[in-house]
Amino acid sequence: MVAKATTAPLSVEWDADHAVTELYREHYRPLVRLAALLVRDHATAEEVVQDAFVAMHGAWRRLRDPNKALSYLRQAVVNKARSVLRHRAVVEKHAPKALPDAPSAEHGAMNLLEREAVITALRKLPTRQREAIVLRYYGDLSEAQIADAMGISRGAVKSHTSRGISSLRSVLEQTS
């Protein structure tokens, strides 16, 4: 990626416009390739090189040796590329964290409708079946705990729960 050496030494008498135009014509593309390798983005690389040319144009009179203008440009491109990379690192470090995925309003509405359908279906069940299902699935109790709470045997809990789930399934299938 080394650009070819300047074909002819730049004349000290050249004005900034002429000198920068000649350097631009001969070295713009190799400098963009250099910058692109450093910043990993072609558009940013072009900006870096343009900024280097603008800076050199402004500093043309202060150049001690105008024949080293290409070296000045290369160093300016490298420095500006470093600056871009530092800026990117700071931006990435302080970038706001993405919000966690939240369910959509439609999802919430559908859940509400489903919940209402289940509650309506639960209300239609006989009392013992409803109690057994609520204690099991909403209260998260074991069969032994449900039997103790309802004052019935574990076998009766299994029977009420099974019948209740079967009834809920048929009611909910009819509504959907």
Side-chain angles (χ1 to χ4, degrees):
M1 289 284 126
V2 177
K4 63 183 179 182
T6 307
T7 53
L10 297 174
S11 172
V12 176
E13 294 85 34
W14 280 8
D15 65 343
D17 292 340
H18 185 71
V20 171
T21 301
E22 285 300 311
L23 284 167
Y24 185 90
R25 187 176 50 77
E26 290 182 31
H27 301 287
Y28 175 77
R29 287 192 178 138
L31 289 171
V32 169
R33 284 193 301 267
L34 170 67
L37 288 171
L38 296 173
V39 299
R40 300 176 303 274
D41 174 21
H42 189 76
T44 304
E46 287 180 338
E47 287 180 32
V48 164
V49 172
Q50 289 292 338
D51 289 347
F53 273 103
V54 168
M56 188 175 72
H57 185 272
W60 183 256
R61 292 179 190 243
R62 293 188 308 259
L63 283 177
R64 291 183 188 150
D65 185 0
N67 292 320
K68 294 184 179 178
L70 181 57
S71 296
Y72 174 88
L73 272 173
R74 281 192 194 114
Q75 187 63 46
V77 166
V78 169
N79 288 341
K80 289 179 186 304
R82 286 179 186 156
S83 179
V84 165
L85 294 174
R86 278 192 304 269
H87 178 72
R88 279 185 192 165
V90 169
V91 167
E92 289 173 9
K93 180 179 177 184
H94 297 292
K97 293 188 171 66
L99 295 176
D101 290 338
S104 67
E106 180 181 282
H107 179 71
M110 292 304 292
N111 281 345
L112 184 61
L113 288 174
E114 289 172 4
R115 189 176 3 190
E116 287 177 8
V118 170
I119 290 171
T120 302
L122 271 172
R123 288 185 181 140
K124 293 179 182 178
L125 293 177
T127 305
R128 294 277 176 146
Q129 290 178 9
R130 183 174 55 245
E131 288 173 353
I133 289 175
V134 168
L135 290 172
R136 177 70 182 117
Y137 296 103
Y138 291 97
D140 202 27
L141 299 179
S142 68
E143 289 174 354
Q145 292 170 323
I146 295 169
D148 190 43
M150 291 177 66
I152 58 175
S153 70
R154 288 180 65 188
V157 169
K158 289 179 185 181
S159 177
H160 288 306
T161 304
S162 175
R163 287 182 192 146
I165 289 175
S166 178
S167 294
L168 278 176
R169 184 177 298 122
S170 66
V171 169
L172 290 173
E173 285 175 353
Q174 289 173 1
T175 59
S176 43

